[in-house]
Amino acid sequence: MASSSEAATTSSFSGCLTGIDTAEVTKEVAKLLDGASAKDVHIQGLDLPAEQIPNAQTIVATGISLDVPKKGQIIAIATAMQESRLRNLNSGDRDSLGLFQQRPSQGWGTAQQIRDPVYASERFYKALLKVDGWQQMKVTQAAQAVQKSGYPDAYAQWEDLATALQKAIAATFPNADKDKPAKDSDKDAEPSAGGCTPDKDGTSFGRIPEGSVPKGYKIPKSADPKARKAIEWAMHQLGTLYQWGGSCTDAHGPDPMGRCDCSSLMQQAYAHADVHLTRTTYTQVNEGKAVSAKNLKPGDLIFSRGTAARPEHVGLYMGEGLVIEAPRTSKPVRITPIKDWEILAVRRVL
């Protein structure tokens, strides 16, 4: 059982937070994800956008990774708005914790687990999906079926804001509308967030033999000098075999542990450009600043597999719709077209 510990503070929105301008929310969310200062981001109902929007992003990304339909993601955001104001709280009513104010004593997990936004979101979604007929329920009814709150009607006030946030955030993830039919006539649907024109998704290079540089590729002249150095160094590792846990300090040498895995390739490529990155994919997703997948620049780190908050793979964007990566065991460092990537997050480290 979860608790609406924040319900007492919602009186200023007791008439429901309506009239939300979705287009304006989308613009403000994009500004923050593209690195704007939170001081310059203004969204009705969000007092701490620098904290709240990334938490909403985690909720949406987790929903996408679990194939939860759009309505389920809206329910989750509305629930977190009511329970915590989209903050990862250290406390609450009785032993309630985290985004959804889930309680260890009620079987939601350990305190440490519940304080992990990805875990908390996964647990919420799994509980929601077990509710019979949840997709036909009102948002507040579905949320209450999961949370069993003492304020069962309180979730309704956040529906408009949650809907706008879901739409704005989902637009930054390619293939976010998987629950929609292939031929959807909804004129209000967001276009794919890939944002790449056909000649910039890597397809123009045709099939790329593993370990080779596509004919005609050149690092874009507009690339940051440090990004250029990182890309050039990474390209010198092409064809070397992947090694999980490898340091990437001697990929061509005899010791397998000197070879590259995905994150060590990023770390060492940027080390040769005098930019320090942490070692793992889980930590690199917090490096630099978040940017939209629509606005990629050479040198950006692209994350896939898993969730946006806890991705399992990373590659280096080279420009021209190409990514260099150390893919997996038995495969060499290679260049792949971005069309083959389901992008969960993008970080700009320069």
Side-chain angles (χ1 to χ4, degrees), residues 166-196:
Q166 190 280 335
K167 187 172 185 178
I169 292 167
T172 68
F173 295 115
N175 305 315
D177 290 327
K178 290 180 179 177
D179 56 307
K180 290 191 175 184
K183 294 182 179 180
D184 194 321
S185 60
D186 180 4
K187 294 180 181 179
D188 193 43
E190 290 286 347
S192 168
C196 296

PDB file of all heavy atoms in Angstrom, residues 166-196:
ATOM      1  N   GLN A 166       4.046  13.453 -20.540  1.00  0.00           N
ATOM      2  CA  GLN A 166       4.286  12.197 -21.251  1.00  0.00           C
ATOM      3  C   GLN A 166       4.512  12.450 -22.740  1.00  0.00           C
ATOM      4  O   GLN A 166       5.439  11.909 -23.343  1.00  0.00           O
ATOM      5  CB  GLN A 166       3.106  11.238 -21.050  1.00  0.00           C
ATOM      6  CG  GLN A 166       3.359   9.820 -21.548  1.00  0.00           C
ATOM      7  CD  GLN A 166       3.190   9.651 -23.045  1.00  0.00           C
ATOM      8  OE1 GLN A 166       2.461  10.404 -23.687  1.00  0.00           O
ATOM      9  NE2 GLN A 166       3.875   8.656 -23.601  1.00  0.00           N
ATOM     10  N   LYS A 167       3.674  13.282 -23.317  1.00  0.00           N
ATOM     11  CA  LYS A 167       3.794  13.556 -24.744  1.00  0.00           C
ATOM     12  C   LYS A 167       5.104  14.257 -25.066  1.00  0.00           C
ATOM     13  O   LYS A 167       5.795  13.911 -26.031  1.00  0.00           O
ATOM     14  CB  LYS A 167       2.613  14.417 -25.201  1.00  0.00           C
ATOM     15  CG  LYS A 167       2.550  14.611 -26.709  1.00  0.00           C
ATOM     16  CD  LYS A 167       1.257  15.295 -27.103  1.00  0.00           C
ATOM     17  CE  LYS A 167       1.133  15.385 -28.619  1.00  0.00           C
ATOM     18  NZ  LYS A 167      -0.143  16.015 -29.038  1.00  0.00           N
ATOM     19  N   ALA A 168       5.479  15.235 -24.244  1.00  0.00           N
ATOM     20  CA  ALA A 168       6.713  15.984 -24.470  1.00  0.00           C
ATOM     21  C   ALA A 168       7.940  15.093 -24.337  1.00  0.00           C
ATOM     22  O   ALA A 168       8.867  15.157 -25.156  1.00  0.00           O
ATOM     23  CB  ALA A 168       6.802  17.146 -23.487  1.00  0.00           C
ATOM     24  N   ILE A 169       7.952  14.252 -23.305  1.00  0.00           N
ATOM     25  CA  ILE A 169       9.121  13.397 -23.061  1.00  0.00           C
ATOM     26  C   ILE A 169       9.188  12.252 -24.064  1.00  0.00           C
ATOM     27  O   ILE A 169      10.258  11.931 -24.593  1.00  0.00           O
ATOM     28  CB  ILE A 169       9.100  12.866 -21.615  1.00  0.00           C
ATOM     29  CG1 ILE A 169       9.318  14.027 -20.639  1.00  0.00           C
ATOM     30  CG2 ILE A 169      10.161  11.795 -21.412  1.00  0.00           C
ATOM     31  CD1 ILE A 169       9.015  13.688 -19.198  1.00  0.00           C
ATOM     32  N   ALA A 170       8.045  11.644 -24.366  1.00  0.00           N
ATOM     33  CA  ALA A 170       8.037  10.532 -25.321  1.00  0.00           C
ATOM     34  C   ALA A 170       8.537  10.974 -26.683  1.00  0.00           C
ATOM     35  O   ALA A 170       9.133  10.176 -27.423  1.00  0.00           O
ATOM     36  CB  ALA A 170       6.641   9.938 -25.434  1.00  0.00           C
ATOM     37  N   ALA A 171       8.332  12.243 -27.019  1.00  0.00           N
ATOM     38  CA  ALA A 171       8.777  12.754 -28.313  1.00  0.00           C
ATOM     39  C   ALA A 171      10.298  12.741 -28.450  1.00  0.00           C
ATOM     40  O   ALA A 171      10.819  12.824 -29.559  1.00  0.00           O
ATOM     41  CB  ALA A 171       8.256  14.171 -28.526  1.00  0.00           C
ATOM     42  N   THR A 172      11.009  12.629 -27.326  1.00  0.00           N
ATOM     43  CA  THR A 172      12.472  12.591 -27.384  1.00  0.00           C
ATOM     44  C   THR A 172      13.006  11.178 -27.544  1.00  0.00           C
ATOM     45  O   THR A 172      14.207  10.984 -27.688  1.00  0.00           O
ATOM     46  CB  THR A 172      13.098  13.216 -26.115  1.00  0.00           C
ATOM     47  OG1 THR A 172      12.835  12.384 -24.982  1.00  0.00           O
ATOM     48  CG2 THR A 172      12.523  14.596 -25.861  1.00  0.00           C
ATOM     49  N   PHE A 173      12.107  10.179 -27.495  1.00  0.00           N
ATOM     50  CA  PHE A 173      12.518   8.788 -27.637  1.00  0.00           C
ATOM     51  C   PHE A 173      12.026   8.219 -28.958  1.00  0.00           C
ATOM     52  O   PHE A 173      10.822   8.231 -29.220  1.00  0.00           O
ATOM     53  CB  PHE A 173      11.941   7.921 -26.511  1.00  0.00           C
ATOM     54  CG  PHE A 173      12.444   8.263 -25.146  1.00  0.00           C
ATOM     55  CD1 PHE A 173      11.581   8.760 -24.179  1.00  0.00           C
ATOM     56  CD2 PHE A 173      13.772   8.100 -24.816  1.00  0.00           C
ATOM     57  CE1 PHE A 173      12.032   9.092 -22.920  1.00  0.00           C
ATOM     58  CE2 PHE A 173      14.234   8.423 -23.561  1.00  0.00           C
ATOM     59  CZ  PHE A 173      13.372   8.914 -22.610  1.00  0.00           C
ATOM     60  N   PRO A 174      12.914   7.711 -29.806  1.00  0.00           N
ATOM     61  CA  PRO A 174      12.453   7.053 -31.021  1.00  0.00           C
ATOM     62  C   PRO A 174      11.566   5.855 -30.685  1.00  0.00           C
ATOM     63  O   PRO A 174      11.769   5.183 -29.683  1.00  0.00           O
ATOM     64  CB  PRO A 174      13.752   6.586 -31.689  1.00  0.00           C
ATOM     65  CG  PRO A 174      14.800   7.468 -31.118  1.00  0.00           C
ATOM     66  CD  PRO A 174      14.367   7.753 -29.705  1.00  0.00           C
ATOM     67  N   ASN A 175      10.574   5.605 -31.527  1.00  0.00           N
ATOM     68  CA  ASN A 175       9.687   4.438 -31.394  1.00  0.00           C
ATOM     69  C   ASN A 175       8.943   4.425 -30.063  1.00  0.00           C
ATOM     70  O   ASN A 175       8.649   3.369 -29.522  1.00  0.00           O
ATOM     71  CB  ASN A 175      10.471   3.132 -31.545  1.00  0.00           C
ATOM     72  CG  ASN A 175      11.244   3.089 -32.836  1.00  0.00           C
ATOM     73  OD1 ASN A 175      10.723   3.443 -33.882  1.00  0.00           O
ATOM     74  ND2 ASN A 175      12.497   2.666 -32.767  1.00  0.00           N
ATOM     75  N   ALA A 176       8.643   5.619 -29.529  1.00  0.00           N
ATOM     76  CA  ALA A 176       7.985   5.683 -28.224  1.00  0.00           C
ATOM     77  C   ALA A 176       6.521   5.279 -28.282  1.00  0.00           C
ATOM     78  O   ALA A 176       5.942   4.899 -27.283  1.00  0.00           O
ATOM     79  CB  ALA A 176       8.095   7.097 -27.648  1.00  0.00           C
ATOM     80  N   ASP A 177       5.909   5.350 -29.457  1.00  0.00           N
ATOM     81  CA  ASP A 177       4.485   5.052 -29.573  1.00  0.00           C
ATOM     82  C   ASP A 177       4.245   3.636 -30.072  1.00  0.00           C
ATOM     83  O   ASP A 177       3.467   3.388 -30.980  1.00  0.00           O
ATOM     84  CB  ASP A 177       3.809   6.055 -30.512  1.00  0.00           C
ATOM     85  CG  ASP A 177       3.725   7.440 -29.883  1.00  0.00           C
ATOM     86  OD1 ASP A 177       3.574   7.509 -28.660  1.00  0.00           O
ATOM     87  OD2 ASP A 177       3.809   8.427 -30.626  1.00  0.00           O
ATOM     88  N   LYS A 178       4.929   2.678 -29.469  1.00  0.00           N
ATOM     89  CA  LYS A 178       4.815   1.291 -29.907  1.00  0.00           C
ATOM     90  C   LYS A 178       3.410   0.736 -29.733  1.00  0.00           C
ATOM     91  O   LYS A 178       3.040  -0.218 -30.387  1.00  0.00           O
ATOM     92  CB  LYS A 178       5.800   0.414 -29.109  1.00  0.00           C
ATOM     93  CG  LYS A 178       7.261   0.658 -29.472  1.00  0.00           C
ATOM     94  CD  LYS A 178       8.156  -0.242 -28.650  1.00  0.00           C
ATOM     95  CE  LYS A 178       9.623  -0.039 -28.997  1.00  0.00           C
ATOM     96  NZ  LYS A 178      10.508  -0.867 -28.155  1.00  0.00           N
ATOM     97  N   ASP A 179       2.625   1.328 -28.815  1.00  0.00           N
ATOM     98  CA  ASP A 179       1.301   0.800 -28.583  1.00  0.00           C
ATOM     99  C   ASP A 179       0.306   1.255 -29.636  1.00  0.00           C
ATOM    100  O   ASP A 179      -0.834   0.819 -29.643  1.00  0.00           O
ATOM    101  CB  ASP A 179       0.790   1.213 -27.192  1.00  0.00           C
ATOM    102  CG  ASP A 179       0.810   2.723 -26.986  1.00  0.00           C
ATOM    103  OD1 ASP A 179       1.884   3.307 -27.204  1.00  0.00           O
ATOM    104  OD2 ASP A 179      -0.228   3.291 -26.613  1.00  0.00           O
ATOM    105  N   LYS A 180       0.728   2.128 -30.553  1.00  0.00           N
ATOM    106  CA  LYS A 180      -0.171   2.608 -31.583  1.00  0.00           C
ATOM    107  C   LYS A 180      -0.165   1.669 -32.775  1.00  0.00           C
ATOM    108  O   LYS A 180       0.859   1.071 -33.088  1.00  0.00           O
ATOM    109  CB  LYS A 180       0.255   4.010 -32.058  1.00  0.00           C
ATOM    110  CG  LYS A 180       0.014   5.093 -31.016  1.00  0.00           C
ATOM    111  CD  LYS A 180       0.193   6.450 -31.628  1.00  0.00           C
ATOM    112  CE  LYS A 180      -0.168   7.543 -30.640  1.00  0.00           C
ATOM    113  NZ  LYS A 180      -0.083   8.875 -31.252  1.00  0.00           N
ATOM    114  N   PRO A 181      -1.302   1.561 -33.485  1.00  0.00           N
ATOM    115  CA  PRO A 181      -1.338   0.767 -34.701  1.00  0.00           C
ATOM    116  C   PRO A 181      -0.370   1.337 -35.724  1.00  0.00           C
ATOM    117  O   PRO A 181      -0.062   2.530 -35.714  1.00  0.00           O
ATOM    118  CB  PRO A 181      -2.796   0.908 -35.181  1.00  0.00           C
ATOM    119  CG  PRO A 181      -3.564   1.340 -33.972  1.00  0.00           C
ATOM    120  CD  PRO A 181      -2.610   2.128 -33.134  1.00  0.00           C
ATOM    121  N   ALA A 182       0.092   0.483 -36.627  1.00  0.00           N
ATOM    122  CA  ALA A 182       1.058   0.923 -37.629  1.00  0.00           C
ATOM    123  C   ALA A 182       0.481   2.045 -38.492  1.00  0.00           C
ATOM    124  O   ALA A 182       1.173   2.981 -38.863  1.00  0.00           O
ATOM    125  CB  ALA A 182       1.462  -0.250 -38.509  1.00  0.00           C
ATOM    126  N   LYS A 183      -0.808   1.957 -38.828  1.00  0.00           N
ATOM    127  CA  LYS A 183      -1.458   2.990 -39.611  1.00  0.00           C
ATOM    128  C   LYS A 183      -2.408   3.747 -38.704  1.00  0.00           C
ATOM    129  O   LYS A 183      -3.570   3.412 -38.581  1.00  0.00           O
ATOM    130  CB  LYS A 183      -2.215   2.377 -40.787  1.00  0.00           C
ATOM    131  CG  LYS A 183      -1.301   1.716 -41.812  1.00  0.00           C
ATOM    132  CD  LYS A 183      -2.093   1.171 -42.988  1.00  0.00           C
ATOM    133  CE  LYS A 183      -1.169   0.530 -44.013  1.00  0.00           C
ATOM    134  NZ  LYS A 183      -1.925  -0.015 -45.165  1.00  0.00           N
ATOM    135  N   ASP A 184      -1.878   4.763 -38.081  1.00  0.00           N
ATOM    136  CA  ASP A 184      -2.640   5.514 -37.093  1.00  0.00           C
ATOM    137  C   ASP A 184      -3.053   6.837 -37.722  1.00  0.00           C
ATOM    138  O   ASP A 184      -2.210   7.582 -38.207  1.00  0.00           O
ATOM    139  CB  ASP A 184      -1.786   5.770 -35.837  1.00  0.00           C
ATOM    140  CG  ASP A 184      -2.625   6.245 -34.664  1.00  0.00           C
ATOM    141  OD1 ASP A 184      -3.558   7.031 -34.851  1.00  0.00           O
ATOM    142  OD2 ASP A 184      -2.311   5.807 -33.549  1.00  0.00           O
ATOM    143  N   SER A 185      -4.332   7.125 -37.696  1.00  0.00           N
ATOM    144  CA  SER A 185      -4.824   8.344 -38.323  1.00  0.00           C
ATOM    145  C   SER A 185      -4.898   9.503 -37.345  1.00  0.00           C
ATOM    146  O   SER A 185      -5.427  10.555 -37.682  1.00  0.00           O
ATOM    147  CB  SER A 185      -6.217   8.095 -38.914  1.00  0.00           C
ATOM    148  OG  SER A 185      -7.121   7.695 -37.889  1.00  0.00           O
ATOM    149  N   ASP A 186      -4.410   9.308 -36.143  1.00  0.00           N
ATOM    150  CA  ASP A 186      -4.444  10.366 -35.131  1.00  0.00           C
ATOM    151  C   ASP A 186      -3.598  11.553 -35.589  1.00  0.00           C
ATOM    152  O   ASP A 186      -2.378  11.492 -35.585  1.00  0.00           O
ATOM    153  CB  ASP A 186      -3.917   9.822 -33.796  1.00  0.00           C
ATOM    154  CG  ASP A 186      -3.932  10.864 -32.695  1.00  0.00           C
ATOM    155  OD1 ASP A 186      -4.426  11.982 -32.937  1.00  0.00           O
ATOM    156  OD2 ASP A 186      -3.456  10.528 -31.588  1.00  0.00           O
ATOM    157  N   LYS A 187      -4.242  12.638 -35.942  1.00  0.00           N
ATOM    158  CA  LYS A 187      -3.516  13.784 -36.468  1.00  0.00           C
ATOM    159  C   LYS A 187      -2.684  14.472 -35.404  1.00  0.00           C
ATOM    160  O   LYS A 187      -1.795  15.250 -35.714  1.00  0.00           O
ATOM    161  CB  LYS A 187      -4.510  14.787 -37.073  1.00  0.00           C
ATOM    162  CG  LYS A 187      -5.227  14.241 -38.297  1.00  0.00           C
ATOM    163  CD  LYS A 187      -6.189  15.278 -38.862  1.00  0.00           C
ATOM    164  CE  LYS A 187      -6.919  14.740 -40.076  1.00  0.00           C
ATOM    165  NZ  LYS A 187      -7.886  15.732 -40.630  1.00  0.00           N
ATOM    166  N   ASP A 188      -2.998  14.180 -34.138  1.00  0.00           N
ATOM    167  CA  ASP A 188      -2.277  14.837 -33.061  1.00  0.00           C
ATOM    168  C   ASP A 188      -1.047  14.059 -32.633  1.00  0.00           C
ATOM    169  O   ASP A 188      -0.325  14.441 -31.738  1.00  0.00           O
ATOM    170  CB  ASP A 188      -3.217  15.017 -31.850  1.00  0.00           C
ATOM    171  CG  ASP A 188      -2.627  15.980 -30.832  1.00  0.00           C
ATOM    172  OD1 ASP A 188      -2.089  17.023 -31.236  1.00  0.00           O
ATOM    173  OD2 ASP A 188      -2.711  15.674 -29.634  1.00  0.00           O
ATOM    174  N   ALA A 189      -0.801  12.927 -33.291  1.00  0.00           N
ATOM    175  CA  ALA A 189       0.321  12.069 -32.897  1.00  0.00           C
ATOM    176  C   ALA A 189       1.643  12.763 -33.159  1.00  0.00           C
ATOM    177  O   ALA A 189       1.800  13.477 -34.149  1.00  0.00           O
ATOM    178  CB  ALA A 189       0.268  10.756 -33.666  1.00  0.00           C
ATOM    179  N   GLU A 190       2.588  12.536 -32.271  1.00  0.00           N
ATOM    180  CA  GLU A 190       3.917  13.101 -32.455  1.00  0.00           C
ATOM    181  C   GLU A 190       4.655  12.336 -33.546  1.00  0.00           C
ATOM    182  O   GLU A 190       4.546  11.118 -33.649  1.00  0.00           O
ATOM    183  CB  GLU A 190       4.724  12.987 -31.148  1.00  0.00           C
ATOM    184  CG  GLU A 190       4.235  13.886 -30.051  1.00  0.00           C
ATOM    185  CD  GLU A 190       4.593  15.335 -30.294  1.00  0.00           C
ATOM    186  OE1 GLU A 190       5.423  15.601 -31.186  1.00  0.00           O
ATOM    187  OE2 GLU A 190       4.039  16.195 -29.600  1.00  0.00           O
ATOM    188  N   PRO A 191       5.446  13.002 -34.358  1.00  0.00           N
ATOM    189  CA  PRO A 191       6.283  12.281 -35.303  1.00  0.00           C
ATOM    190  C   PRO A 191       7.364  11.529 -34.565  1.00  0.00           C
ATOM    191  O   PRO A 191       7.640  11.800 -33.410  1.00  0.00           O
ATOM    192  CB  PRO A 191       6.888  13.414 -36.164  1.00  0.00           C
ATOM    193  CG  PRO A 191       6.869  14.613 -35.258  1.00  0.00           C
ATOM    194  CD  PRO A 191       5.627  14.458 -34.419  1.00  0.00           C
ATOM    195  N   SER A 192       7.973  10.577 -35.236  1.00  0.00           N
ATOM    196  CA  SER A 192       9.064   9.823 -34.622  1.00  0.00           C
ATOM    197  C   SER A 192      10.125  10.785 -34.151  1.00  0.00           C
ATOM    198  O   SER A 192      10.486  11.732 -34.840  1.00  0.00           O
ATOM    199  CB  SER A 192       9.672   8.846 -35.642  1.00  0.00           C
ATOM    200  OG  SER A 192      10.885   8.323 -35.153  1.00  0.00           O
ATOM    201  N   ALA A 193      10.661  10.532 -32.947  1.00  0.00           N
ATOM    202  CA  ALA A 193      11.630  11.462 -32.370  1.00  0.00           C
ATOM    203  C   ALA A 193      13.027  11.261 -32.909  1.00  0.00           C
ATOM    204  O   ALA A 193      13.953  11.907 -32.489  1.00  0.00           O
ATOM    205  CB  ALA A 193      11.657  11.314 -30.852  1.00  0.00           C
ATOM    206  N   GLY A 194      13.191  10.347 -33.846  1.00  0.00           N
ATOM    207  CA  GLY A 194      14.512  10.153 -34.416  1.00  0.00           C
ATOM    208  C   GLY A 194      15.017  11.426 -35.050  1.00  0.00           C
ATOM    209  O   GLY A 194      16.177  11.775 -34.968  1.00  0.00           O
ATOM    210  N   GLY A 195      14.090  12.156 -35.746  1.00  0.00           N
ATOM    211  CA  GLY A 195      14.413  13.465 -36.264  1.00  0.00           C
ATOM    212  C   GLY A 195      15.454  13.466 -37.348  1.00  0.00           C
ATOM    213  O   GLY A 195      15.950  14.507 -37.736  1.00  0.00           O
ATOM    214  N   CYS A 196      15.828  12.314 -37.893  1.00  0.00           N
ATOM    215  CA  CYS A 196      16.873  12.252 -38.901  1.00  0.00           C
ATOM    216  C   CYS A 196      16.258  12.168 -40.288  1.00  0.00           C
ATOM    217  O   CYS A 196      15.322  11.410 -40.502  1.00  0.00           O
ATOM    218  CB  CYS A 196      17.776  11.035 -38.683  1.00  0.00           C
ATOM    219  SG  CYS A 196      18.686  11.071 -37.143  1.00  0.00           S
TER     220      CYS A 196
END
